[in-house]
């Protein structure tokens, strides 16, 4: 170490060496230590030791871009049953949002709420068993039962089946 700080009696607050400043733990946050501490240029952090050539930066950027495009996920872009989520007369009961049932008089809100809350179903029989409809709700559901299909539930649609965030 090259030099020791001025308050030696208070158990040396800092020492300046070739690598920069080192504050000792005994009084590291003392106002005296903070006022007298001098940070040298050599103590400042640096990205690298020497200059980086443009060619090297360019090759690193292109290499990382190639890596990211090569690792693209093979996600399912189009769900085959999207037409049954409210865009046609046929309704996929397992994946449809509660708002689909607004178009069907007598279904919304009671029967529709029970349908959406208790999904998924394998068939119409299981739907009636799980939902426990009242007599008027059963009549409304039976009226539209021919329009219902029971496709495999998709998590992307089930998460939004009660509230899809559309408020108009």
């Amino acid at each position: 170490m090259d030099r020791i700080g001025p308050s030696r009696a208070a158990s040396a607050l800092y020492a300046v060496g070739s690598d920069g400043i080192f504050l000792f733990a005994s009084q590291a946050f003392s106002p005296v230590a903070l006022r007298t501490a001098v940070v040298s240029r050599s103590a400042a952090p640096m990205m690298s030791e020497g200059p980086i050539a443009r060619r090297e930066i360019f090759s690193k950027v292109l290499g990382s871009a190639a890596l990211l495009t090569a690792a693209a996920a093979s996600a399912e872009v189009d769900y085959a049953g999207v037409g049954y989520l409210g865009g046609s007369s046929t309704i996929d009961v397992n994946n449809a949002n509660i708002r689909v049932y607004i178009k069907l008089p007598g279904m919304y809100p009671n029967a529709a709420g029970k349908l959406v809350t208790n999904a998924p179903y394998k068939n119409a029989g299981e739907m009636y068993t799980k939902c426990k409809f009242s007599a008027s709700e059963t009549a409304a559901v039976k009226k539209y039962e021919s329009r219902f299909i029971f496709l495999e539930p998709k998590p992307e649609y089930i998460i939004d089946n009660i509230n899809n965030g559309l408020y108009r």
Side-chain angles (χ1 to χ4, degrees):
M1 291 189 198
D2 300 335
R3 180 178 62 157
I4 294 184
S7 48
R8 209 166 215 232
S11 74
L13 297 175
Y14 65 93
V16 178
S18 60
D19 293 336
I21 299 172
F22 299 95
L23 295 176
F24 293 107
S26 63
Q27 293 186 7
F29 295 106
S30 164
V32 175
L34 295 176
R35 251 188 317 222
T36 59
V38 178
V39 177
S40 65
R41 181 66 109 170
S42 65
M46 293 177 55
M47 294 286 286
S48 65
E49 294 300 320
I52 300 174
R54 286 186 197 169
R55 192 174 295 184
E56 186 179 347
I57 292 174
F58 188 68
S59 68
K60 287 183 180 181
V61 169
L62 284 179
S64 62
L67 178 66
L68 292 175
T69 57
S74 58
E76 182 179 352
V77 177
D78 292 325
Y79 170 55
V82 84
Y84 304 123
L85 299 178
S88 70
S89 61
T90 305
I91 298 170
D92 175 14
V93 178
N94 288 330
N95 294 305
N97 186 281
I98 194 166
R99 299 188 81 157
V100 170
Y101 301 104
I102 292 174
K103 301 177 205 171
L104 308 175
M107 290 287 293
Y108 186 83
N110 298 335
K114 289 181 181 179
L115 274 174
V116 169
T117 304
N118 295 305
Y121 313 105
K122 293 178 183 155
N123 53 38
E126 184 180 10
M127 175 183 67
Y128 287 110
T129 305
K130 278 184 166 181
C131 289
K132 299 178 180 143
F133 294 121
S134 67
S136 61
E137 293 167 348
T138 303
V141 173
K142 288 240 186 241
K143 182 177 168 184
Y144 301 107
E145 184 179 351
S146 63
R147 297 172 60 180
F148 295 160
I149 60 171
F150 302 89
L151 298 178
E152 187 69 29
K154 294 282 189 181
E156 303 88 34
Y157 296 104
I158 289 180
I159 195 167
D160 292 333
N161 66 358
I162 294 175
N163 180 5
N164 64 355
L166 299 175
Y167 300 108
R168 286 192 176 234

PDB file of all heavy atoms in Angstrom, residues 7 27 32 34 40 50 53 56 65 73 77 80 86 88 91 110 116 131 136 142-143 148 157:
ATOM      1  N   SER A   7      -6.842   9.674   9.392  1.00  0.00           N
ATOM      2  CA  SER A   7      -7.300   9.381  10.750  1.00  0.00           C
ATOM      3  C   SER A   7      -6.773   8.027  11.196  1.00  0.00           C
ATOM      4  O   SER A   7      -7.509   7.092  11.381  1.00  0.00           O
ATOM      5  CB  SER A   7      -8.815   9.450  10.835  1.00  0.00           C
ATOM      6  OG  SER A   7      -9.374   8.728   9.795  1.00  0.00           O
ATOM      7  N   GLN A  27     -14.782   1.412  10.015  1.00  0.00           N
ATOM      8  CA  GLN A  27     -15.481   2.682   9.890  1.00  0.00           C
ATOM      9  C   GLN A  27     -15.625   3.043   8.420  1.00  0.00           C
ATOM     10  O   GLN A  27     -15.310   4.148   8.007  1.00  0.00           O
ATOM     11  CB  GLN A  27     -14.726   3.766  10.650  1.00  0.00           C
ATOM     12  CG  GLN A  27     -14.733   3.553  12.148  1.00  0.00           C
ATOM     13  CD  GLN A  27     -14.101   4.721  12.871  1.00  0.00           C
ATOM     14  OE1 GLN A  27     -13.779   5.725  12.267  1.00  0.00           O
ATOM     15  NE2 GLN A  27     -13.949   4.580  14.165  1.00  0.00           N
ATOM     16  N   VAL A  32     -15.526  11.156   7.452  1.00  0.00           N
ATOM     17  CA  VAL A  32     -14.129  11.485   7.207  1.00  0.00           C
ATOM     18  C   VAL A  32     -13.587  10.631   6.066  1.00  0.00           C
ATOM     19  O   VAL A  32     -12.895  11.108   5.173  1.00  0.00           O
ATOM     20  CB  VAL A  32     -13.288  11.271   8.491  1.00  0.00           C
ATOM     21  CG1 VAL A  32     -11.809  11.486   8.213  1.00  0.00           C
ATOM     22  CG2 VAL A  32     -13.782  12.188   9.588  1.00  0.00           C
ATOM     23  N   LEU A  34     -15.246   9.185   3.649  1.00  0.00           N
ATOM     24  CA  LEU A  34     -15.863   9.506   2.369  1.00  0.00           C
ATOM     25  C   LEU A  34     -15.347  10.831   1.809  1.00  0.00           C
ATOM     26  O   LEU A  34     -15.229  11.003   0.617  1.00  0.00           O
ATOM     27  CB  LEU A  34     -17.379   9.544   2.516  1.00  0.00           C
ATOM     28  CG  LEU A  34     -18.022   8.211   2.877  1.00  0.00           C
ATOM     29  CD1 LEU A  34     -19.513   8.391   3.083  1.00  0.00           C
ATOM     30  CD2 LEU A  34     -17.740   7.163   1.827  1.00  0.00           C
ATOM     31  N   SER A  40      -8.899   7.047  -8.067  1.00  0.00           N
ATOM     32  CA  SER A  40      -7.969   7.245  -9.181  1.00  0.00           C
ATOM     33  C   SER A  40      -8.561   6.702 -10.461  1.00  0.00           C
ATOM     34  O   SER A  40      -9.495   5.911 -10.442  1.00  0.00           O
ATOM     35  CB  SER A  40      -6.640   6.542  -8.877  1.00  0.00           C
ATOM     36  OG  SER A  40      -6.853   5.159  -8.821  1.00  0.00           O
ATOM     37  N   GLY A  50      -8.353  -3.155 -24.299  1.00  0.00           N
ATOM     38  CA  GLY A  50      -7.958  -2.443 -25.505  1.00  0.00           C
ATOM     39  C   GLY A  50      -9.165  -2.076 -26.348  1.00  0.00           C
ATOM     40  O   GLY A  50     -10.288  -2.473 -26.066  1.00  0.00           O
ATOM     41  N   ALA A  53     -12.265  -3.649 -32.425  1.00  0.00           N
ATOM     42  CA  ALA A  53     -12.408  -3.320 -33.840  1.00  0.00           C
ATOM     43  C   ALA A  53     -13.862  -3.425 -34.265  1.00  0.00           C
ATOM     44  O   ALA A  53     -14.617  -4.230 -33.741  1.00  0.00           O
ATOM     45  CB  ALA A  53     -11.540  -4.251 -34.677  1.00  0.00           C
ATOM     46  N   GLU A  56     -14.903  -6.885 -35.317  1.00  0.00           N
ATOM     47  CA  GLU A  56     -15.164  -7.822 -34.233  1.00  0.00           C
ATOM     48  C   GLU A  56     -16.576  -7.624 -33.676  1.00  0.00           C
ATOM     49  O   GLU A  56     -17.302  -8.586 -33.427  1.00  0.00           O
ATOM     50  CB  GLU A  56     -14.133  -7.627 -33.124  1.00  0.00           C
ATOM     51  CG  GLU A  56     -14.230  -8.653 -32.019  1.00  0.00           C
ATOM     52  CD  GLU A  56     -13.178  -8.446 -30.957  1.00  0.00           C
ATOM     53  OE1 GLU A  56     -12.222  -7.682 -31.174  1.00  0.00           O
ATOM     54  OE2 GLU A  56     -13.331  -9.061 -29.892  1.00  0.00           O
ATOM     55  N   ALA A  65     -27.322 -12.888 -33.708  1.00  0.00           N
ATOM     56  CA  ALA A  65     -28.577 -12.862 -34.477  1.00  0.00           C
ATOM     57  C   ALA A  65     -28.824 -14.206 -35.143  1.00  0.00           C
ATOM     58  O   ALA A  65     -29.961 -14.703 -35.171  1.00  0.00           O
ATOM     59  CB  ALA A  65     -28.538 -11.752 -35.517  1.00  0.00           C
ATOM     60  N   ALA A  73     -38.865 -21.122 -31.902  1.00  0.00           N
ATOM     61  CA  ALA A  73     -39.749 -22.172 -31.423  1.00  0.00           C
ATOM     62  C   ALA A  73     -40.750 -22.554 -32.505  1.00  0.00           C
ATOM     63  O   ALA A  73     -41.175 -21.728 -33.297  1.00  0.00           O
ATOM     64  CB  ALA A  73     -40.491 -21.693 -30.186  1.00  0.00           C
ATOM     65  N   VAL A  77     -49.269 -21.763 -34.534  1.00  0.00           N
ATOM     66  CA  VAL A  77     -49.671 -20.415 -34.882  1.00  0.00           C
ATOM     67  C   VAL A  77     -51.185 -20.317 -35.032  1.00  0.00           C
ATOM     68  O   VAL A  77     -51.823 -19.412 -34.504  1.00  0.00           O
ATOM     69  CB  VAL A  77     -48.969 -19.957 -36.185  1.00  0.00           C
ATOM     70  CG1 VAL A  77     -49.442 -18.585 -36.588  1.00  0.00           C
ATOM     71  CG2 VAL A  77     -47.475 -19.985 -36.005  1.00  0.00           C
ATOM     72  N   ALA A  80     -56.815 -24.822 -34.939  1.00  0.00           N
ATOM     73  CA  ALA A  80     -57.803 -25.318 -35.900  1.00  0.00           C
ATOM     74  C   ALA A  80     -59.244 -25.043 -35.452  1.00  0.00           C
ATOM     75  O   ALA A  80     -60.134 -24.873 -36.277  1.00  0.00           O
ATOM     76  CB  ALA A  80     -57.600 -26.809 -36.121  1.00  0.00           C
ATOM     77  N   GLY A  86     -66.734 -18.700 -31.254  1.00  0.00           N
ATOM     78  CA  GLY A  86     -67.736 -17.649 -31.313  1.00  0.00           C
ATOM     79  C   GLY A  86     -67.937 -17.070 -32.688  1.00  0.00           C
ATOM     80  O   GLY A  86     -68.808 -16.248 -32.893  1.00  0.00           O
ATOM     81  N   SER A  88     -68.795 -18.797 -35.426  1.00  0.00           N
ATOM     82  CA  SER A  88     -69.719 -19.573 -36.256  1.00  0.00           C
ATOM     83  C   SER A  88     -70.906 -19.993 -35.402  1.00  0.00           C
ATOM     84  O   SER A  88     -70.986 -19.681 -34.223  1.00  0.00           O
ATOM     85  CB  SER A  88     -69.008 -20.803 -36.829  1.00  0.00           C
ATOM     86  OG  SER A  88     -68.741 -21.739 -35.813  1.00  0.00           O
ATOM     87  N   ILE A  91     -70.301 -24.027 -31.417  1.00  0.00           N
ATOM     88  CA  ILE A  91     -69.539 -23.497 -30.278  1.00  0.00           C
ATOM     89  C   ILE A  91     -68.767 -24.623 -29.606  1.00  0.00           C
ATOM     90  O   ILE A  91     -69.342 -25.655 -29.249  1.00  0.00           O
ATOM     91  CB  ILE A  91     -70.478 -22.838 -29.250  1.00  0.00           C
ATOM     92  CG1 ILE A  91     -71.215 -21.661 -29.889  1.00  0.00           C
ATOM     93  CG2 ILE A  91     -69.720 -22.389 -28.009  1.00  0.00           C
ATOM     94  CD1 ILE A  91     -72.332 -21.105 -29.038  1.00  0.00           C
ATOM     95  N   ASN A 110     -76.595 -17.132 -16.297  1.00  0.00           N
ATOM     96  CA  ASN A 110     -76.582 -18.277 -15.389  1.00  0.00           C
ATOM     97  C   ASN A 110     -76.040 -19.559 -16.011  1.00  0.00           C
ATOM     98  O   ASN A 110     -75.058 -20.127 -15.534  1.00  0.00           O
ATOM     99  CB  ASN A 110     -77.984 -18.513 -14.821  1.00  0.00           C
ATOM    100  CG  ASN A 110     -78.467 -17.332 -14.018  1.00  0.00           C
ATOM    101  OD1 ASN A 110     -77.655 -16.569 -13.494  1.00  0.00           O
ATOM    102  ND2 ASN A 110     -79.765 -17.164 -13.925  1.00  0.00           N
ATOM    103  N   VAL A 116     -68.975 -22.415 -18.388  1.00  0.00           N
ATOM    104  CA  VAL A 116     -67.587 -21.963 -18.455  1.00  0.00           C
ATOM    105  C   VAL A 116     -66.826 -22.342 -17.183  1.00  0.00           C
ATOM    106  O   VAL A 116     -65.672 -22.749 -17.238  1.00  0.00           O
ATOM    107  CB  VAL A 116     -67.550 -20.438 -18.711  1.00  0.00           C
ATOM    108  CG1 VAL A 116     -66.172 -19.878 -18.536  1.00  0.00           C
ATOM    109  CG2 VAL A 116     -68.071 -20.141 -20.093  1.00  0.00           C
ATOM    110  N   CYS A 131     -72.461 -29.489 -14.364  1.00  0.00           N
ATOM    111  CA  CYS A 131     -73.028 -28.141 -14.218  1.00  0.00           C
ATOM    112  C   CYS A 131     -74.196 -28.062 -13.247  1.00  0.00           C
ATOM    113  O   CYS A 131     -74.419 -27.013 -12.640  1.00  0.00           O
ATOM    114  CB  CYS A 131     -73.464 -27.599 -15.577  1.00  0.00           C
ATOM    115  SG  CYS A 131     -72.060 -27.193 -16.619  1.00  0.00           S
ATOM    116  N   SER A 136     -84.941 -24.373 -15.777  1.00  0.00           N
ATOM    117  CA  SER A 136     -84.971 -23.372 -16.854  1.00  0.00           C
ATOM    118  C   SER A 136     -83.624 -23.314 -17.582  1.00  0.00           C
ATOM    119  O   SER A 136     -83.587 -23.135 -18.802  1.00  0.00           O
ATOM    120  CB  SER A 136     -85.340 -21.998 -16.299  1.00  0.00           C
ATOM    121  OG  SER A 136     -84.374 -21.580 -15.358  1.00  0.00           O
ATOM    122  N   LYS A 142     -80.517 -27.261 -23.618  1.00  0.00           N
ATOM    123  CA  LYS A 142     -81.026 -28.284 -24.561  1.00  0.00           C
ATOM    124  C   LYS A 142     -81.428 -27.655 -25.897  1.00  0.00           C
ATOM    125  O   LYS A 142     -81.277 -28.259 -26.943  1.00  0.00           O
ATOM    126  CB  LYS A 142     -82.221 -29.011 -23.950  1.00  0.00           C
ATOM    127  CG  LYS A 142     -81.851 -29.944 -22.849  1.00  0.00           C
ATOM    128  CD  LYS A 142     -82.282 -31.328 -23.207  1.00  0.00           C
ATOM    129  CE  LYS A 142     -82.029 -32.247 -22.023  1.00  0.00           C
ATOM    130  NZ  LYS A 142     -81.115 -33.281 -22.352  1.00  0.00           N
ATOM    131  N   LYS A 143     -81.904 -26.416 -25.844  1.00  0.00           N
ATOM    132  CA  LYS A 143     -82.311 -25.712 -27.051  1.00  0.00           C
ATOM    133  C   LYS A 143     -81.132 -25.514 -28.008  1.00  0.00           C
ATOM    134  O   LYS A 143     -81.292 -25.566 -29.220  1.00  0.00           O
ATOM    135  CB  LYS A 143     -82.903 -24.358 -26.633  1.00  0.00           C
ATOM    136  CG  LYS A 143     -83.437 -23.495 -27.720  1.00  0.00           C
ATOM    137  CD  LYS A 143     -84.044 -22.258 -27.065  1.00  0.00           C
ATOM    138  CE  LYS A 143     -84.354 -21.179 -28.058  1.00  0.00           C
ATOM    139  NZ  LYS A 143     -84.847 -19.968 -27.410  1.00  0.00           N
ATOM    140  N   PHE A 148     -73.305 -27.403 -29.943  1.00  0.00           N
ATOM    141  CA  PHE A 148     -72.131 -27.556 -29.092  1.00  0.00           C
ATOM    142  C   PHE A 148     -71.238 -28.682 -29.567  1.00  0.00           C
ATOM    143  O   PHE A 148     -71.732 -29.756 -29.947  1.00  0.00           O
ATOM    144  CB  PHE A 148     -72.530 -27.831 -27.641  1.00  0.00           C
ATOM    145  CG  PHE A 148     -73.266 -26.708 -26.966  1.00  0.00           C
ATOM    146  CD1 PHE A 148     -74.031 -26.954 -25.842  1.00  0.00           C
ATOM    147  CD2 PHE A 148     -73.202 -25.404 -27.428  1.00  0.00           C
ATOM    148  CE1 PHE A 148     -74.709 -25.933 -25.200  1.00  0.00           C
ATOM    149  CE2 PHE A 148     -73.876 -24.376 -26.796  1.00  0.00           C
ATOM    150  CZ  PHE A 148     -74.631 -24.650 -25.671  1.00  0.00           C
ATOM    151  N   TYR A 157     -56.851 -20.658 -24.232  1.00  0.00           N
ATOM    152  CA  TYR A 157     -58.231 -20.182 -24.278  1.00  0.00           C
ATOM    153  C   TYR A 157     -58.939 -20.373 -22.941  1.00  0.00           C
ATOM    154  O   TYR A 157     -59.807 -19.586 -22.581  1.00  0.00           O
ATOM    155  CB  TYR A 157     -58.998 -20.874 -25.400  1.00  0.00           C
ATOM    156  CG  TYR A 157     -58.423 -20.534 -26.748  1.00  0.00           C
ATOM    157  CD1 TYR A 157     -57.639 -21.453 -27.447  1.00  0.00           C
ATOM    158  CD2 TYR A 157     -58.608 -19.284 -27.303  1.00  0.00           C
ATOM    159  CE1 TYR A 157     -57.083 -21.126 -28.679  1.00  0.00           C
ATOM    160  CE2 TYR A 157     -58.054 -18.949 -28.530  1.00  0.00           C
ATOM    161  CZ  TYR A 157     -57.297 -19.876 -29.204  1.00  0.00           C
ATOM    162  OH  TYR A 157     -56.739 -19.541 -30.405  1.00  0.00           O
TER     163      TYR A 157
END
